[in-house]
Amino acid sequence: MPMPTRSIFLTQYVCGEPLTEEHFEIRECPLPRLQQDEVLLETLALSVDPYMRGCMTGLSTFYVKQFDLASPVYSMGVARVIESRLPGFSPGDLVLGAIDWSERSVLSAAQIADRPVGGFALRQVDGTRPVTQYLGVLGTTGITAYFGIVGTARPQRGETMVMSGAAGGVGTLAGQMAKLLGARVIGLAGSAHKREVLVDQLKFDAALDYRSSSLTDELQALAPTGPDIYFDNVGGRVSQTVMWLMRKPARVIDCGQISTYDDPDGGWKIDIRPIHNNALRLESFTPAHFAEFYPAARAQLTHWVDNGKLVGLESKYLGFESTPKAMVGMLSGANVGKAVVAVVD
Ligand SMILES: NC(=O)c1ccc[n+]([C@@H]2O[C@H](COP(=O)([O-])OP(=O)(O)OC[C@H]3O[C@@H](n4cnc5c(N)ncnc54)[C@H](OP(=O)(O)O)[C@@H]3O)[C@@H](O)[C@H]2O)c1
């Protein structure tokens, strides 16, 4: 008798309107019998990430492929191997990779190769740390922040960096790293609590409300000659405002455009006049551009965490059923730090 498991499916593509928990369904599904080159996994923790919203629109223009409505959603996750017919993996191993939103799942070598999330295939991780760290500060979020700051923005001592999405997974880490390199960091975040965490706990130099009608004046007061760097996690109107205020010349690092992910045409159009007027260099990146340097990045992140120099804040949701809530909450600003689901506490 095949064992049943519970899995989460996206019930329809959602474009031009906000994603809600009602767009997901938990279904009981049979688990297939294990074949050669497959592993049976028990899911321990799942990540919810903004790029996943782009895989739920049905638009083929997104840079990651759309989720198949007939299969469970998947994301970065940590799992325990229960049974293995896949060379290199044994029962009891803890693994990190693109894992189904299922309590248990069978993953084949072909599926592993077809899911380039995070830029690597399934790999073992050690069990000495809280598993959610592998989805946050030591996972793709930390790696993204690291290559965004150390590899792309490259702040110099004394430079001023403004960062949108500052209280999120990437933002909290990228801001701390820019501070470690000697920059002055001004974060933009959507709630008073988030701004307090940025300044009081993470020692950002200042934090502002990006929805404030006086954002321009507040930024000019904090950076009268304009920021040297704008690290952009959100795009849209906020970024347009910041780019008009920058030093000439200065640089804009596009990490993400979350404010545009619900847009029906797949993206808010930017006005390039501030780029021209302020002689801005606009540069984007993904960690995949730096794949050769992953081991060095992981070693540096681990060193900073273990020495108390980098704090990996998490908003942790408990239980498998909370995964859609975590996803929708992350998109609407409920998280401080990395949003993760502890499927098994
Ligand atoms: N380049 C890459 O390879 C790469 C890799 C990972 C992530 N990213 C990008 O980096 C960004 C941050 O990702 P993350 O994983 O760290 O997510 P996150 O920042 O932890 O979560 C998303 C946050 O975005 C903010 N937000 C949502 N809608 C917004 C809007 N309309 N305007 C302004 N802010 C909005 C919310 O915070 P508030 O409460 O402050 O509004 C929310 O908490 C995303 O754009 C993502 O796509 C890029």
Side-chain angles (χ1 to χ4, degrees), residues 76 95 107 132 166 223 241 304:
M76 287 303 285
V95 292
L107 207 54
T132 48
T241 302
W304 276 332

Side-chain angles (χ1 to χ4, degrees), residues 123-313:
R123 69 178 176 90
Q124 276 102 342
V125 290
D126 74 58
T128 57
R129 296 171 178 278
V131 291
T132 48
Q133 277 197 356
Y134 296 111
L135 305 177
V137 62
L138 301 181
T140 34
T141 302
I143 295 264
T144 300
Y146 180 84
F147 290 123
I149 293 296
V150 176
T152 313
R154 297 194 288 273
Q156 305 297 305
R157 192 162 291 280
E159 284 189 323
T160 296
M161 183 176 99
V162 170
M163 184 167 56
S164 56
V170 173
T172 47
L173 297 170
Q176 291 178 77
M177 289 177 207
K179 296 263 342 146
L180 282 168
L181 296 180
R184 189 171 156 250
V185 179
I186 302 168
L188 305 180
S191 75
H193 170 62
K194 290 184 178 192
R195 295 190 290 276
E196 252 171 54
V197 170
L198 292 179
V199 174
D200 296 345
Q201 193 175 346
L202 303 183
K203 308 297 174 206
F204 282 36
D205 297 278
L208 297 176
D209 178 2
Y210 64 86
R211 294 191 186 94
S212 163
S213 56
S214 51
L215 179 63
T216 296
D217 293 342
E218 291 167 36
L219 275 171
Q220 275 176 328
L222 286 169
T225 53
D228 303 279
I229 305 168
Y230 173 45
F231 193 97
D232 185 15
N233 280 308
V234 309
R237 252 170 243 292
V238 176
S239 300
Q240 204 72 65
T241 302
V242 177
M243 289 195 297
W244 276 114
L245 301 175
M246 294 189 71
R247 189 189 278 276
K248 180 178 182 174
R251 50 207 195 274
V252 177
I253 309 304
D254 158 58
C255 176
Q257 301 282 304
I258 193 170
S259 75
T260 70
Y261 296 170
D262 282 337
D263 289 359
D265 62 357
W268 203 78
K269 305 286 183 294
I270 66 157
D271 171 1
I272 67 164
R273 285 175 301 166
I275 297 174
H276 179 76
N277 287 15
N278 291 336
L280 304 182
R281 177 163 64 81
L282 173 63
E283 186 173 0
S284 193
F285 74 98
T286 75
H289 297 132
F290 299 91
E292 283 300 317
F293 299 96
Y294 280 4
R298 284 195 202 109
Q300 180 67 73
L301 290 166
T302 306
H303 173 78
W304 276 332
V305 169
D306 290 349
N307 287 283
K309 296 198 165 170
L310 186 64
V311 179
L313 294 183

